[in-house]
């Protein structure tokens, strides 16, 4: 594991299956504070990317967090984290970090040397979290300060600005 911090004790970490999709897609808009996220999580993520993805589950079976990640088809030295989230009632208890520890281990085992992720620059908790688990923010040509963080304006289309995170494994 990449981190010396221990996992939340009452959680089980397991691979997602296709059967998890309906429940998790039903959580994401609320977990992103009302942003419309569910269109970013079609079933295909639970069919074709489960080997580098994880679910954290509480004793009572409730989902406490999840991460969906993959290895780049174009450059297998690059891993990419599509989505990561923790239950809003359980934040700051190490779930996100524990999920990332597992993804980093998966990706390293496949020869990945660099991990990337993006976020909306106004999502300050995501920026702080990614920095805390070892990502750096891409800056320099093409970026500008948006909400206090170097970011690419219109990165994902008009009005969809993004911070790009990079972490070497
Ligand atoms: C971002 C997110 C996944 C973090 O999950 P989490 O389980 O709360 O994170 P952790 O408890 O593992 O936090 C690890 C470290 O990240 C940093 N961090 C996490 N949340 C933070 C916040 N809101 N403000 C400042 N720092 C934060 C801290 O350094 C923290 O360590 P500490 O609690 O010992 O100080 C969670 O806030 C979330 O689900 N947000 C909504 C979804 C989202 O925006 N996902 C990311 C974009 S895809």
């Amino acid at each position: 594991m990449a981190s010396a911090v221990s996992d939340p004790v009452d959680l089980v970490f397991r691979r997602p299956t296709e059967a998890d999709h309906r429940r998790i897609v039903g959580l994401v808009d609320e977990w992103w504070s009302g942003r419309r996220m569910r269109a970013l999580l079609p079933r295909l993520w639970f069919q074709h990317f489960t080997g580098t993805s994880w679910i954290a589950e509480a004793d009572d079976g409730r989902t406490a967090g999840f991460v969906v990640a993959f290895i780049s088809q174009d450059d297998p030295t690059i891993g990419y984290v599509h989505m990561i989230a923790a239950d809003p009632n359980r934040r700051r208890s190490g779930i996100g970090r524990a999920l990332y520890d597992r993804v980093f281990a998966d990706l390293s085992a496949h020869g990945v040397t660099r991990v990337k992720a993006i976020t909306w620059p106004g999502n300050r908790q995501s920026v702080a979290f990614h920095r805390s688990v070892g990502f750096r923010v891409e800056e320099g040509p093409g970026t500008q300060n948006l909400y206090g963080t170097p970011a690419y304006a219109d990165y994902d289309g008009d009005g969809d600005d993004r911070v790009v995170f990079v972490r070497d494994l």
Side-chain angles (χ1 to χ4, degrees):
M1 296 281 161
S3 161
V5 181
S6 53
D7 291 342
V9 286
D10 62 328
L11 298 182
V12 171
F13 291 81
R14 65 169 176 85
R15 298 291 184 193
T17 69
E18 196 171 341
D20 294 310
H21 174 257
R22 194 186 184 96
R23 189 179 67 263
I24 291 189
V25 79
L27 295 171
V28 292
D29 288 0
E30 185 197 334
W31 282 18
W32 264 261
S33 308
R35 273 175 83 86
R36 293 168 63 83
M37 298 298 289
R38 56 182 302 151
L40 289 181
L41 199 64
R43 183 183 279 250
L44 69 89
W45 291 103
F46 290 70
Q47 294 170 322
H48 302 293
F49 299 89
T50 57
T52 45
S53 301
W54 289 90
I55 289 178
E57 227 164 49
D59 293 342
D60 58 5
R62 279 180 197 236
T63 306
F66 73 95
V67 59
V68 175
F70 63 95
I71 298 166
S72 168
Q73 296 217 5
D74 291 349
D75 180 351
T77 68
I78 305 275
Y80 191 92
V81 182
H82 176 59
M83 285 176 107
I84 183 166
D87 179 342
N89 297 314
R90 300 189 54 137
R91 292 198 181 148
R92 301 301 291 268
S93 65
I95 295 171
R97 187 186 294 278
L99 289 165
Y100 257 144
D101 282 347
R102 284 163 172 78
V103 167
F104 296 152
D106 288 340
L107 297 175
S108 290
H110 283 92
V112 168
T113 54
R114 179 165 285 189
V115 188
K116 291 193 157 197
I118 61 171
T119 209
W120 173 57
N123 188 345
R124 292 172 194 280
Q125 61 188 5
S126 175
V127 173
F129 167 68
H130 280 90
R131 284 193 155 126
S132 176
V133 298
F135 287 87
R136 67 178 184 277
V137 169
E138 260 188 24
E139 48 191 324
T143 63
Q144 57 188 272
N145 191 313
L146 297 173
Y147 298 89
T149 307
Y152 295 92
D154 303 326
Y155 182 91
D156 266 339
D158 286 349
D160 283 328
D161 310 333
R162 296 290 180 265
V163 177
V164 175
F165 300 111
V166 182
R167 187 191 196 278
D168 294 323
L169 294 180

